[in-house]
Amino acid sequence: MAPFPLPHSLHGSGPHGVLAVHGWFADRSAYDSLLPDIDRQAFTYALPDLRGYGEARDAQGAYTTSEGAADLIGLADRLGWETFSLVGHSMGGSVVQRVLAAAPERVRRIVGISPVPASGWKMPPEQWELFTSAAGKPASRRAIIDFTTGSVRPDAWLDRMVERSLARSDATALRAWLDSWAGDDFHPEVAGATLPALAVTGALDPVFTADFLHETWLRHYTGAALVELPCAGHYAMDETPLQLIRTIEDFLRADESGQDLPA
């Protein structure tokens, strides 16, 4: 299947192009909290909607990370970006690693925000049942968001996150995406990559913990670094937007300065 022309928005006019990819429960609006304070002089951010989300909610496809990667490379081509950096949240973290596997010579730097590793994520049966039910049950989406943010967030925020998810995702696509991002193991395709690769996790996230990322992300990339945000859970864009911006952009700017964050 040919790459699908992903709907997207552009933010900034800087020379460093960055594709920022949303996660499983949201479209590109997942990054809305960051947009007022990004560095628009240094970076140009392209925020796409993957198939099944946002303006691409009705787009047909296989809804796999490899298909998503092909769509993203097609978007970079249309933007005229020969090289670019990648940011991906959760499921989007898996998708951007697929881009790296497909076009390693084009990727400058990669950032995963609570990223699903290239080895996938094998869940115990009861957890798998909860996640598979999320496509049709808003209560399951709420339970997942609550659990992965430490069960400390206000009810109104949880309700708003679920409402956004329901409004901006297609249930059939969401269910199909789960099989790919959780089940696919393509880490041999990226293992040993030497590009700078930053994983950002939240201390309140009981799933994609620092220990988990040490055993996955940091083992896969020889140029890997890890930052833990003490007041964030799985949704750092909403929970700690200013700290997240500073962490990501300091890392991306190091492409020019040659200084990286400590591993």
Side-chain angles (χ1 to χ4, degrees), residues 11 19-23 26-36 38 45-48 87-90 92-93 96 111 113 164 237-238 241 244-245 248:
H11 306 271
L19 293 173
V21 185
H22 61 80
D27 64 349
R28 67 181 188 248
S29 67
Y31 290 98
D32 280 357
S33 296
L34 306 185
L35 296 181
I38 58 174
Y45 289 91
L47 274 57
V87 175
H89 172 241
S90 193
V96 299
V111 179
I113 307 166
R164 180 178 72 180
M237 295 93 71
D238 294 276
L244 181 62
I245 291 170
I248 291 174

Side-chain angles (χ1 to χ4, degrees), residues 9 25 48 96 133 156 190 208 210 213 235-236:
S9 58
F25 275 164
V96 299
S133 71
V190 297
F208 293 95
L213 293 173
Y235 294 87

